[in-house]
Coordinates of all heavy atoms in Angstrom, one line a residue:
T1 N -35.6 -93.3 32.0 CA -36.3 -94.6 32.1 C -37.6 -94.6 31.2 O -38.1 -93.5 31.0 CB -36.7 -95.0 33.5 OG1 -37.5 -94.0 34.0 CG2 -35.4 -95.1 34.4
L2 N -38.1 -95.7 30.9 CA -39.3 -95.8 30.1 C -40.4 -96.0 31.1 O -40.3 -96.4 32.2 CB -39.3 -97.0 29.1 CG -38.2 -96.9 28.1 CD1 -38.1 -98.1 27.2 CD2 -38.4 -95.6 27.2
A3 N -41.6 -95.7 30.7 CA -42.8 -95.7 31.6 C -43.7 -96.9 31.4 O -43.5 -97.7 30.5 CB -43.6 -94.5 31.5
S4 N -44.6 -97.0 32.2 CA -45.6 -98.1 32.2 C -46.3 -98.2 30.9 O -47.0 -97.3 30.5 CB -46.6 -97.9 33.3 OG -47.6 -98.9 33.2
A5 N -46.1 -99.3 30.2 CA -46.7 -99.5 28.9 C -48.1 -99.8 29.0 O -48.9 -99.7 28.1 CB -45.9 -100.6 28.1
G6 N -48.6 -100.3 30.1 CA -50.0 -100.7 30.3 C -50.9 -99.5 30.7 O -52.1 -99.7 30.8
S7 N -50.4 -98.3 30.9 CA -51.2 -97.2 31.3 C -52.1 -96.7 30.2 O -51.6 -96.5 29.0 CB -50.3 -96.1 31.7 OG -51.0 -94.9 32.0
S8 N -53.3 -96.5 30.4 CA -54.2 -96.1 29.4 C -54.4 -94.5 29.5 O -55.1 -93.9 28.7 CB -55.6 -96.8 29.5 OG -56.2 -96.5 30.8
S9 N -53.8 -93.9 30.5 CA -54.0 -92.5 30.7 C -52.9 -91.8 29.7 O -52.2 -92.4 29.0 CB -53.7 -92.1 32.1 OG -52.3 -92.3 32.4
D10 N -52.9 -90.5 29.8 CA -52.0 -89.7 29.0 C -50.6 -89.6 29.7 O -49.8 -88.8 29.4 CB -52.5 -88.3 28.7 CG -53.6 -88.3 27.6 OD1 -53.6 -89.3 26.9 OD2 -54.4 -87.4 27.6
A11 N -50.4 -90.4 30.7 CA -49.1 -90.4 31.4 C -48.0 -90.7 30.5 O -48.1 -91.6 29.7 CB -49.1 -91.4 32.6
S12 N -46.9 -90.1 30.6 CA -45.7 -90.3 29.8 C -45.2 -91.7 30.0 O -45.2 -92.2 31.0 CB -44.7 -89.2 30.1 OG -43.5 -89.5 29.4
F13 N -44.6 -92.2 28.9 CA -43.9 -93.5 29.0 C -42.6 -93.3 29.9 O -42.0 -94.3 30.2 CB -43.4 -93.9 27.6 CG -44.4 -94.6 26.7 CD1 -44.7 -94.1 25.5 CD2 -45.0 -95.7 27.2 CE1 -45.6 -94.8 24.7 CE2 -45.9 -96.4 26.4 CZ -46.2 -95.9 25.1
Q14 N -42.3 -92.1 30.3 CA -41.1 -91.9 31.1 C -41.3 -92.0 32.6 O -40.4 -91.7 33.3 CB -40.5 -90.5 30.7 CG -40.1 -90.5 29.3 CD -39.7 -89.1 28.8 OE1 -39.6 -88.2 29.6 NE2 -39.3 -89.0 27.6
R15 N -42.4 -92.4 33.1 CA -42.7 -92.4 34.5 C -42.1 -93.6 35.3 O -41.4 -93.5 36.3 CB -44.2 -92.4 34.8 CG -44.7 -91.0 34.5 CD -46.0 -90.8 35.2 NE -46.4 -89.5 34.9 CZ -47.7 -89.1 35.0 NH1 -48.6 -89.9 35.4 NH2 -48.0 -87.9 34.7
S16 N -42.3 -94.9 34.8 CA -41.8 -96.0 35.6 C -41.0 -96.9 34.7 O -41.3 -97.0 33.5 CB -42.9 -96.8 36.3 OG -43.8 -97.3 35.3
P17 N -40.0 -97.6 35.2 CA -39.1 -98.3 34.3 C -39.8 -99.6 33.7 O -40.3 -100.4 34.5 CB -37.9 -98.7 35.2 CG -38.4 -98.4 36.6 CD -39.6 -97.5 36.5
V18 N -39.8 -99.7 32.4 CA -40.2 -100.9 31.7 C -39.3 -100.9 30.4 O -38.6 -99.9 30.1 CB -41.7 -100.9 31.2 CG1 -42.6 -101.0 32.4 CG2 -42.0 -99.7 30.4
S19 N -39.2 -102.0 29.8 CA -38.3 -102.1 28.6 C -38.9 -101.4 27.4 O -40.1 -101.2 27.3 CB -38.1 -103.6 28.3 OG -39.3 -104.2 27.8
L20 N -38.0 -101.1 26.5 CA -38.4 -100.5 25.2 C -39.3 -101.5 24.5 O -40.3 -101.1 23.9 CB -37.2 -100.2 24.4 CG -37.4 -99.5 23.0 CD1 -38.2 -98.2 23.2 CD2 -36.1 -99.2 22.4
A21 N -39.0 -102.8 24.6 CA -39.8 -103.8 23.9 C -41.3 -103.8 24.4 O -42.2 -103.9 23.7 CB -39.2 -105.2 24.1
D22 N -41.4 -103.6 25.8 CA -42.8 -103.5 26.4 C -43.5 -102.3 25.8 O -44.7 -102.4 25.5 CB -42.7 -103.4 27.9 CG -42.3 -104.7 28.5 OD1 -42.4 -105.8 27.9 OD2 -41.8 -104.7 29.7
C23 N -42.9 -101.2 25.7 CA -43.5 -100.0 25.2 C -43.9 -100.2 23.7 O -45.0 -99.7 23.3 CB -42.6 -98.8 25.3 SG -42.3 -98.3 27.0
I24 N -43.1 -100.8 23.0 CA -43.4 -101.1 21.6 C -44.6 -102.0 21.5 O -45.5 -101.8 20.7 CB -42.2 -101.8 20.8 CG1 -41.1 -100.7 20.7 CG2 -42.6 -102.3 19.5 CD1 -39.7 -101.3 20.2
R25 N -44.6 -103.1 22.3 CA -45.8 -104.0 22.3 C -47.1 -103.3 22.6 O -48.1 -103.5 22.0 CB -45.6 -105.2 23.2 CG -44.7 -106.2 22.7 CD -44.7 -107.5 23.5 NE -44.0 -107.3 24.8 CZ -42.7 -107.4 25.0 NH1 -41.9 -107.8 23.9 NH2 -42.1 -107.2 26.1
F26 N -47.0 -102.4 23.6 CA -48.2 -101.6 24.0 C -48.7 -100.7 22.8 O -49.9 -100.7 22.5 CB -47.9 -100.7 25.2 CG -49.1 -99.9 25.6 CD1 -50.2 -100.4 26.2 CD2 -49.0 -98.5 25.4 CE1 -51.3 -99.6 26.5 CE2 -50.1 -97.7 25.8 CZ -51.2 -98.2 26.3
L27 N -47.8 -100.0 22.2 CA -48.1 -99.2 21.0 C -48.7 -100.1 19.9 O -49.7 -99.7 19.3 CB -46.9 -98.4 20.5 CG -47.1 -97.5 19.3 CD1 -48.2 -96.4 19.6 CD2 -45.8 -96.9 18.8
E28 N -48.1 -101.2 19.6 CA -48.6 -102.1 18.6 C -50.0 -102.5 18.9 O -50.9 -102.6 18.0 CB -47.7 -103.3 18.4 CG -46.4 -103.0 17.8 CD -45.4 -104.1 17.8 OE1 -45.5 -105.0 18.6 OE2 -44.5 -104.1 16.9
A29 N -50.3 -102.9 20.2 CA -51.6 -103.3 20.6 C -52.6 -102.2 20.4 O -53.7 -102.4 20.0 CB -51.6 -103.9 22.0
S30 N -52.2 -101.0 20.8 CA -53.1 -99.8 20.7 C -53.5 -99.5 19.3 O -54.6 -99.2 19.0 CB -52.4 -98.6 21.3 OG -52.1 -98.7 22.6
A31 N -52.5 -99.7 18.3 CA -52.8 -99.4 16.9 C -53.3 -100.6 16.1 O -53.7 -100.4 15.0 CB -51.5 -98.8 16.3
G32 N -53.2 -101.8 16.7 CA -53.6 -103.0 16.0 C -52.6 -103.3 14.8 O -53.1 -103.9 13.8
Q33 N -51.4 -102.9 14.9 CA -50.4 -103.1 13.9 C -49.1 -103.5 14.6 O -48.8 -103.1 15.7 CB -50.1 -101.9 13.0 CG -51.3 -101.4 12.2 CD -51.0 -100.2 11.5 OE1 -49.9 -100.1 10.8 NE2 -51.8 -99.2 11.5
R34 N -48.2 -104.1 13.8 CA -46.8 -104.4 14.3 C -45.8 -103.5 13.6 O -46.0 -103.2 12.4 CB -46.5 -105.9 14.0 CG -47.3 -106.8 14.9 CD -46.8 -108.2 15.0 NE -45.4 -108.4 15.1 CZ -44.8 -108.5 16.3 NH1 -45.4 -108.5 17.4 NH2 -43.5 -108.7 16.4
L35 N -44.8 -103.1 14.3 CA -43.8 -102.3 13.7 C -42.9 -103.2 12.8 O -42.6 -104.3 13.2 CB -42.9 -101.6 14.7 CG -43.5 -100.5 15.6 CD1 -42.5 -100.0 16.6 CD2 -44.0 -99.4 14.7
D36 N -42.5 -102.7 11.7 CA -41.6 -103.5 10.8 C -40.1 -103.3 11.3 O -39.8 -102.6 12.3 CB -41.7 -103.1 9.3 CG -41.3 -101.6 9.0 OD1 -40.6 -101.0 9.8 OD2 -41.7 -101.1 8.0
T37 N -39.3 -104.1 10.7 CA -37.9 -104.1 11.1 C -37.2 -102.8 11.1 O -36.4 -102.4 11.9 CB -37.1 -105.1 10.2 OG1 -37.7 -106.4 10.3 CG2 -35.6 -105.2 10.6
W38 N -37.5 -102.0 10.0 CA -36.9 -100.7 9.9 C -37.3 -99.7 11.0 O -36.5 -99.0 11.5 CB -37.3 -100.1 8.5 CG -36.7 -100.9 7.4 CD1 -37.4 -101.7 6.6 CD2 -35.3 -101.0 7.0 NE1 -36.5 -102.3 5.7 CE2 -35.2 -101.9 6.0 CE3 -34.1 -100.4 7.5 CZ2 -34.0 -102.3 5.4 CZ3 -32.9 -100.8 6.9 CH2 -32.9 -101.7 5.9
A39 N -38.6 -99.7 11.4 CA -39.1 -98.9 12.5 C -38.4 -99.3 13.8 O -38.0 -98.5 14.6 CB -40.6 -98.9 12.5
R40 N -38.4 -100.6 14.0 CA -37.7 -101.1 15.3 C -36.2 -100.7 15.3 O -35.7 -100.2 16.3 CB -37.8 -102.6 15.4 CG -39.2 -103.1 15.7 CD -39.3 -104.6 15.7 NE -40.6 -105.0 15.9 CZ -41.2 -105.2 17.1 NH1 -40.5 -105.0 18.2 NH2 -42.4 -105.6 17.2
R41 N -35.6 -100.8 14.2 CA -34.2 -100.5 14.1 C -34.0 -99.0 14.4 O -33.1 -98.6 15.1 CB -33.6 -100.8 12.7 CG -32.1 -100.6 12.6 CD -31.6 -101.1 11.3 NE -31.8 -102.6 11.2 CZ -31.8 -103.2 10.1 NH1 -31.7 -102.6 8.9 NH2 -32.0 -104.5 10.1
A42 N -34.9 -98.1 13.8 CA -34.8 -96.7 14.0 C -34.9 -96.4 15.5 O -34.2 -95.5 16.1 CB -35.8 -96.0 13.2
L43 N -35.8 -97.1 16.2 CA -36.0 -96.8 17.6 C -34.8 -97.3 18.4 O -34.3 -96.5 19.3 CB -37.2 -97.6 18.1 CG -38.6 -97.0 17.9 CD1 -39.7 -97.9 18.2 CD2 -38.7 -95.7 18.7
Y44 N -34.3 -98.5 18.2 CA -33.2 -99.0 18.9 C -31.9 -98.2 18.7 O -30.9 -98.4 19.5 CB -33.0 -100.5 18.7 CG -34.0 -101.3 19.5 CD1 -35.1 -101.9 18.9 CD2 -33.8 -101.5 20.9 CE1 -36.1 -102.6 19.7 CE2 -34.8 -102.2 21.6 CZ -35.9 -102.7 21.0 OH -36.8 -103.5 21.8
Q45 N -31.8 -97.5 17.6 CA -30.6 -96.6 17.3 C -30.7 -95.3 18.1 O -29.7 -94.6 18.2 CB -30.5 -96.4 15.9 CG -30.1 -97.6 15.1 CD -30.1 -97.3 13.6 OE1 -30.6 -96.3 13.1 NE2 -29.5 -98.2 12.8
R46 N -31.8 -95.0 18.7 CA -31.9 -93.8 19.6 C -31.6 -94.1 21.0 O -31.6 -95.2 21.4 CB -33.3 -93.3 19.5 CG -33.9 -93.0 18.1 CD -33.1 -91.9 17.4 NE -33.5 -91.7 16.0 CZ -32.8 -92.2 15.0 NH1 -31.7 -92.8 15.1 NH2 -33.3 -91.9 13.7
T47 N -31.3 -93.0 21.8 CA -31.1 -93.2 23.2 C -32.5 -93.7 23.8 O -33.5 -93.5 23.1 CB -30.7 -91.9 23.9 OG1 -31.8 -91.0 23.8 CG2 -29.4 -91.4 23.3
Q48 N -32.4 -94.3 24.9 CA -33.7 -94.7 25.6 C -34.6 -93.6 25.8 O -35.8 -93.7 25.6 CB -33.3 -95.5 26.9 CG -34.4 -96.4 27.3 CD -33.9 -97.3 28.5 OE1 -33.2 -96.8 29.3 NE2 -34.4 -98.5 28.5
Q49 N -34.1 -92.4 26.2 CA -34.9 -91.2 26.4 C -35.6 -90.8 25.1 O -36.8 -90.5 25.1 CB -34.1 -90.1 27.0 CG -34.9 -88.9 27.3 CD -34.1 -87.7 27.8 OE1 -32.9 -87.8 27.8 NE2 -34.7 -86.7 28.2
V50 N -34.9 -90.7 24.0 CA -35.5 -90.3 22.7 C -36.5 -91.4 22.3 O -37.6 -91.0 21.8 CB -34.4 -90.1 21.7 CG1 -35.0 -89.9 20.3 CG2 -33.6 -88.8 22.1
A51 N -36.1 -92.6 22.4 CA -37.1 -93.7 22.0 C -38.4 -93.6 22.8 O -39.5 -93.7 22.2 CB -36.4 -95.1 22.2
A52 N -38.3 -93.3 24.0 CA -39.5 -93.1 24.9 C -40.3 -91.9 24.4 O -41.6 -92.0 24.3 CB -39.1 -92.9 26.3
Q53 N -39.7 -90.8 24.0 CA -40.4 -89.7 23.5 C -41.1 -90.0 22.2 O -42.2 -89.6 21.9 CB -39.4 -88.5 23.3 CG -38.9 -87.9 24.6 CD -37.8 -86.9 24.3 OE1 -37.1 -86.8 23.3 NE2 -37.6 -86.0 25.3
V54 N -40.4 -90.7 21.3 CA -40.9 -91.1 20.0 C -42.2 -92.0 20.2 O -43.2 -91.8 19.6 CB -39.9 -91.9 19.2 CG1 -40.6 -92.6 18.0 CG2 -38.8 -90.9 18.7
L55 N -42.1 -93.0 21.1 CA -43.2 -93.9 21.4 C -44.4 -93.1 22.0 O -45.5 -93.4 21.7 CB -42.8 -95.0 22.2 CG -41.8 -96.0 21.5 CD1 -41.2 -97.0 22.5 CD2 -42.5 -96.7 20.4
E56 N -44.1 -92.2 22.9 CA -45.1 -91.4 23.6 C -45.9 -90.6 22.5 O -47.1 -90.5 22.5 CB -44.6 -90.6 24.7 CG -45.6 -89.6 25.3 CD -46.7 -90.4 26.1 OE1 -46.6 -91.6 26.3 OE2 -47.7 -89.7 26.3
E57 N -45.1 -89.9 21.7 CA -45.7 -89.1 20.6 C -46.6 -89.9 19.7 O -47.7 -89.6 19.3 CB -44.7 -88.3 19.9 CG -45.2 -87.4 18.8 CD -46.0 -86.2 19.3 OE1 -46.0 -85.9 20.5 OE2 -46.8 -85.6 18.5
A58 N -46.0 -91.1 19.3 CA -46.8 -92.0 18.4 C -48.1 -92.5 19.1 O -49.1 -92.5 18.5 CB -45.9 -93.2 18.0
R59 N -48.0 -92.8 20.4 CA -49.2 -93.2 21.1 C -50.2 -92.1 21.2 O -51.4 -92.3 21.0 CB -48.8 -93.6 22.6 CG -50.0 -94.2 23.4 CD -49.7 -94.2 24.8 NE -49.5 -92.8 25.4 CZ -50.5 -92.0 25.7 NH1 -51.8 -92.3 25.4 NH2 -50.3 -90.8 26.2
R60 N -49.8 -90.8 21.4 CA -50.7 -89.7 21.4 C -51.4 -89.5 20.0 O -52.6 -89.3 19.9 CB -50.0 -88.4 21.7 CG -49.6 -88.3 23.2 CD -49.0 -87.0 23.5 NE -48.5 -87.0 24.9 CZ -47.5 -86.4 25.4 NH1 -46.8 -85.6 24.6 NH2 -47.2 -86.4 26.6
I61 N -50.6 -89.7 18.9 CA -51.2 -89.5 17.6 C -52.2 -90.6 17.3 O -53.3 -90.3 16.8 CB -50.0 -89.5 16.5 CG1 -49.2 -88.2 16.7 CG2 -50.6 -89.6 15.1 CD1 -47.9 -88.2 15.9
V62 N -51.8 -91.8 17.7 CA -52.8 -93.0 17.5 C -54.0 -92.7 18.3 O -55.1 -92.9 17.8 CB -52.1 -94.3 17.8 CG1 -53.1 -95.4 17.8 CG2 -51.0 -94.6 16.8
A63 N -53.9 -92.3 19.5 CA -55.1 -92.1 20.4 C -55.9 -91.0 19.8 O -57.2 -91.1 19.9 CB -54.6 -91.8 21.8
A64 N -55.3 -89.9 19.3 CA -56.1 -88.8 18.7 C -56.9 -89.3 17.5 O -57.9 -88.6 17.2 CB -55.1 -87.7 18.4
Q65 N -56.4 -90.3 16.9 CA -57.1 -90.9 15.7 C -58.0 -92.0 16.1 O -58.3 -92.9 15.3 CB -56.1 -91.3 14.6 CG -55.3 -90.1 14.1 CD -54.2 -90.6 13.2 OE1 -54.2 -91.7 12.7 NE2 -53.3 -89.7 12.8
S66 N -58.5 -92.1 17.3 CA -59.4 -93.1 17.9 C -58.7 -94.5 17.7 O -59.4 -95.5 17.4 CB -60.7 -93.1 17.2 OG -61.3 -91.8 17.4
G67 N -57.4 -94.6 17.9 CA -56.8 -95.9 17.8 C -56.4 -96.3 16.4 O -55.8 -97.4 16.2
G68 N -56.6 -95.5 15.5 CA -56.3 -95.8 14.1 C -55.1 -95.2 13.6 O -54.7 -94.1 14.0
C69 N -54.4 -95.9 12.7 CA -53.2 -95.4 12.1 C -53.0 -96.2 10.8 O -52.9 -97.4 10.9 CB -52.0 -95.5 13.1 SG -50.5 -94.9 12.4
R70 N -52.8 -95.6 9.7 CA -52.6 -96.3 8.5 C -51.3 -97.1 8.4 O -51.3 -98.2 8.0 CB -52.7 -95.3 7.3 CG -54.0 -94.9 6.9 CD -53.9 -94.2 5.6 NE -55.3 -94.0 5.1 CZ -55.6 -93.5 3.9 NH1 -54.6 -93.2 3.1 NH2 -56.8 -93.4 3.5
N71 N -50.3 -96.4 8.9 CA -49.0 -97.1 8.8 C -48.1 -96.7 10.0 O -47.4 -95.7 10.0 CB -48.3 -96.7 7.5 CG -47.0 -97.5 7.2 OD1 -46.4 -98.0 8.2 ND2 -46.6 -97.6 6.0
L72 N -48.2 -97.5 11.0 CA -47.6 -97.3 12.3 C -46.1 -97.2 12.1 O -45.4 -96.4 12.7 CB -48.0 -98.3 13.3 CG -47.4 -98.1 14.7 CD1 -47.9 -96.8 15.3 CD2 -47.8 -99.3 15.6
S73 N -45.5 -98.1 11.3 CA -44.1 -98.1 11.1 C -43.6 -96.8 10.5 O -42.6 -96.2 10.9 CB -43.7 -99.3 10.2 OG -43.9 -100.5 10.8
A74 N -44.3 -96.3 9.5 CA -43.9 -95.0 8.8 C -44.0 -93.9 9.8 O -43.2 -93.0 9.9 CB -44.8 -94.7 7.6
L75 N -45.0 -93.9 10.7 CA -45.2 -92.8 11.7 C -44.0 -92.9 12.7 O -43.4 -91.8 12.9 CB -46.5 -93.1 12.5 CG -46.7 -92.2 13.7 CD1 -46.7 -90.7 13.3 CD2 -47.9 -92.6 14.5
V76 N -43.6 -94.0 13.2 CA -42.5 -94.1 14.1 C -41.2 -93.7 13.4 O -40.4 -93.0 14.0 CB -42.4 -95.6 14.7 CG1 -41.1 -95.8 15.4 CG2 -43.6 -95.8 15.6
Q77 N -41.0 -94.1 12.2 CA -39.7 -93.7 11.5 C -39.7 -92.2 11.3 O -38.6 -91.6 11.4 CB -39.7 -94.5 10.1 CG -39.3 -95.9 10.3 CD -39.2 -96.6 8.9 OE1 -38.3 -96.4 8.2 NE2 -40.2 -97.5 8.7
S78 N -40.8 -91.6 11.0 CA -40.9 -90.2 10.8 C -40.5 -89.5 12.1 O -39.8 -88.5 12.1 CB -42.3 -89.8 10.3 OG -42.4 -88.4 10.2
L79 N -41.1 -89.9 13.2 CA -40.8 -89.3 14.5 C -39.3 -89.5 14.9 O -38.7 -88.6 15.4 CB -41.7 -89.9 15.6 CG -43.2 -89.5 15.4 CD1 -44.0 -90.3 16.4 CD2 -43.4 -88.0 15.6
C80 N -38.8 -90.7 14.5 CA -37.3 -90.9 14.8 C -36.5 -89.9 14.0 O -35.5 -89.4 14.5 CB -36.9 -92.4 14.5 SG -37.5 -93.6 15.7
R81 N -36.8 -89.7 12.8 CA -36.1 -88.7 12.0 C -36.2 -87.3 12.6 O -35.2 -86.6 12.6 CB -36.6 -88.7 10.5 CG -36.1 -89.8 9.7 CD -36.4 -89.7 8.2 NE -37.8 -89.6 8.0 CZ -38.6 -90.6 7.8 NH1 -38.1 -91.9 7.8 NH2 -39.9 -90.5 7.5
R82 N -37.4 -87.0 13.1 CA -37.6 -85.7 13.7 C -36.6 -85.5 14.9 O -36.1 -84.4 15.1 CB -39.0 -85.5 14.2 CG -39.3 -84.2 14.8 CD -40.7 -84.1 15.4 NE -41.7 -84.3 14.4 CZ -43.0 -84.5 14.7 NH1 -43.4 -84.5 15.9 NH2 -43.8 -84.7 13.7
W83 N -36.3 -86.6 15.6 CA -35.5 -86.5 16.8 C -34.1 -87.1 16.6 O -33.4 -87.5 17.5 CB -36.1 -87.2 18.0 CG -37.2 -86.4 18.7 CD1 -37.0 -85.2 19.3 CD2 -38.5 -86.7 18.9 NE1 -38.2 -84.8 19.8 CE2 -39.1 -85.7 19.6 CE3 -39.3 -87.8 18.5 CZ2 -40.5 -85.7 19.9 CZ3 -40.6 -87.8 18.8 CH2 -41.2 -86.7 19.5
R84 N -33.7 -87.2 15.3 CA -32.4 -87.9 15.0 C -31.2 -87.1 15.6 O -30.2 -87.8 15.8 CB -32.3 -88.0 13.5 CG -32.0 -86.8 12.7 CD -31.7 -87.0 11.3 NE -31.7 -85.8 10.6 CZ -32.7 -85.4 9.7 NH1 -33.8 -86.1 9.6 NH2 -32.6 -84.2 9.1
H85 N -31.3 -85.9 15.8 CA -30.1 -85.1 16.3 C -29.9 -85.3 17.8 O -28.9 -84.9 18.3 CB -30.3 -83.6 16.0 CG -31.5 -83.0 16.7 ND1 -32.8 -83.2 16.2 CD2 -31.7 -82.3 17.8 CE1 -33.7 -82.6 17.0 NE2 -33.0 -82.0 18.0
L86 N -30.8 -86.0 18.5 CA -30.7 -86.2 19.9 C -30.1 -87.5 20.3 O -30.1 -88.4 19.6 CB -32.1 -86.1 20.6 CG -32.8 -84.8 20.4 CD1 -34.2 -84.9 21.0 CD2 -32.0 -83.7 21.1

C-alpha cells in the first residue's frame, strides 16, 4: 500500500493506503514542479510497491535539497530505471 501523502515527517509512503496519484501530487507540491507524461508513465508501469519506493526516494532527495529540484521528472525517471527489474 501507499502511505499518507500529507505527512511531513520522514515516514515512508508505505504506511497508510492512499492512491499513487495522491503521492504524486504531494511530491509535486513539495518540489514546486509537475511530473511530465513520461515520468508519470514510468511510475504507473511499476508495481504499486516499487512506485511507492520511487516516490519516497524522490521525496527524500528533494527534502535534502531544501525542497529544490532542477528537474523532478528526470529524477523520477532515473529512480524508475534503477528499480526497473522489480
Side-chain angles (χ1 to χ4, degrees):
T1 62
L2 298 176
S4 174
S7 173
S8 61
S9 70
D10 283 338
S12 170
F13 276 125
Q14 297 175 359
R15 286 200 179 158
S16 63
V18 295
S19 72
L20 182 57
D22 288 339
C23 292
I24 291 170
R25 280 191 289 275
F26 177 71
L27 178 62
E28 289 174 335
S30 297
Q33 297 179 45
R34 292 193 44 93
L35 292 179
D36 64 19
T37 302
W38 296 106
R40 286 176 185 273
R41 187 175 295 156
L43 279 170
Y44 280 104
Q45 289 175 344
R46 305 296 175 255
T47 65
Q48 204 170 33
Q49 181 181 7
V50 170
Q53 290 173 338
V54 166
L55 291 171
E56 177 63 16
E57 182 66 16
R59 186 196 62 78
R60 286 183 186 150
I61 292 169
V62 169
Q65 297 175 8
S66 301
C69 180
R70 281 189 170 190
N71 189 336
L72 185 61
S73 294
L75 172 62
V76 168
Q77 288 180 69
S78 175
L79 292 171
C80 283
R81 283 190 298 274
R82 183 184 301 169
W83 281 300
R84 73 175 168 253
H85 63 283
L86 299 174

